[in-house]
Amino acid sequence: MAILESILTCPHCGYVKQEIMPTNACQFYYECSGCKTLLRPHPGDCCVFCSFGTVKCPPVQMHSGCCE
């Protein structure tokens, strides 16, 4: 079973927020609640949770590939 909660940390201001990850889609964009910066995944990552979260997205956790 996949973990559905991840803590995102903004690389610009350091703001931290716990979020529930979608199980059926990648989240390509995320607006930081602290500084309003629009976060996008790092090259090679499928979503913002894989780049800035404490837990990878559910499809990656389940080794099923993401965004397929």
Side-chain angles (χ1 to χ4, degrees):
M1 178 156 276
I3 298 169
L4 300 180
E5 293 183 357
S6 183
I7 298 171
L8 288 171
T9 302
C10 177
H12 299 281
C13 73
Y15 187 83
V16 176
K17 187 171 182 183
Q18 185 170 341
E19 295 285 355
I20 297 175
M21 296 181 279
T23 58
N24 61 349
C26 291
Q27 188 163 340
F28 298 110
Y29 304 104
Y30 178 82
E31 184 179 293
C32 173
S33 297
C35 67
K36 304 301 181 198
T37 297
L38 187 63
L39 303 180
R40 296 182 180 125
H42 293 303
D45 283 344
C46 63
C47 66
V48 294
F49 292 104
C50 289
S51 292
F52 306 108
T54 55
V55 178
K56 302 287 185 186
C57 69
V60 170
Q61 290 179 54
M62 302 300 289
H63 304 288
S64 63
C66 198
C67 309
E68 292 181 350

